[in-house]
Structure formats: C-alpha cells, structure tokens
Amino acid sequence: GEVYADALAGAVAGAKLNAPILLVKSNELPKEVKEQLKECNPKEIIVLGGESTIDKNVRKELEELIN
C-alpha cells in the first residue's frame, strides 16, 4: 500500500476479479489484514509488487495463510 503504481494496478485487478484489495506495508503484514484473510479463507492470494516493494518474509506469511 506504499507504492502508487502498485496501488493503481491493484485497483484495476481487484475490480476485474471482483476481489478485495488488502494493503500491506513493505516489511509488515498488519494484524487487520491477517484477520481478514483468516476470515475470508482465500484459495489464492495475488501479490502486486516485487521483492523490493514487499519483503520476502511478508510473502511467506501470506503463503502460510493459504496453506
């Protein structure tokens, strides 16, 4: 949620896929996002932004929420 271009792409992708957009910090998965993901129980999470934008540890936390 900190990089403008990723936010724009996310808005378009979310609308097209009829999916929610949940914003994370580059090095932290906020508690509220974790709670929302646990509640929604998604089968897939699409991450917008490269490793310079979203840390690999945040990506790992996201993967663990769907496995």
Side-chain angles (χ1 to χ4, degrees), residues 55-66:
D55 187 78
K56 64 182 177 183
N57 293 324
V58 173
R59 292 171 182 273
K60 184 177 177 182
E61 279 188 83
L62 290 168
E63 287 175 15
E64 291 171 355
L65 288 169
I66 59 170

Side-chain angles (χ1 to χ4, degrees), residues 1 3 5-7 9-10 24 46-55 59:
V3 177
D6 292 339
V24 302
I46 299 171
V47 177
L48 298 174
E51 284 190 20
S52 63
T53 305
I54 300 179
D55 187 78
R59 292 171 182 273

Side-chain angles (χ1 to χ4, degrees), residues 3-56:
V3 177
Y4 185 71
D6 292 339
L8 284 176
V12 172
K16 188 169 187 170
L17 297 171
N18 193 31
I21 304 297
L22 302 173
L23 302 177
V24 302
K25 297 183 179 184
S26 61
N27 61 353
E28 177 188 357
L29 186 58
K31 180 182 84 166
E32 297 82 6
V33 172
K34 286 182 199 177
E35 290 171 358
Q36 183 65 39
L37 288 170
K38 287 178 183 178
E39 186 177 310
C40 292
N41 194 27
K43 294 181 177 141
E44 180 181 30
I45 295 174
I46 299 171
V47 177
L48 298 174
E51 284 190 20
S52 63
T53 305
I54 300 179
D55 187 78
K56 64 182 177 183

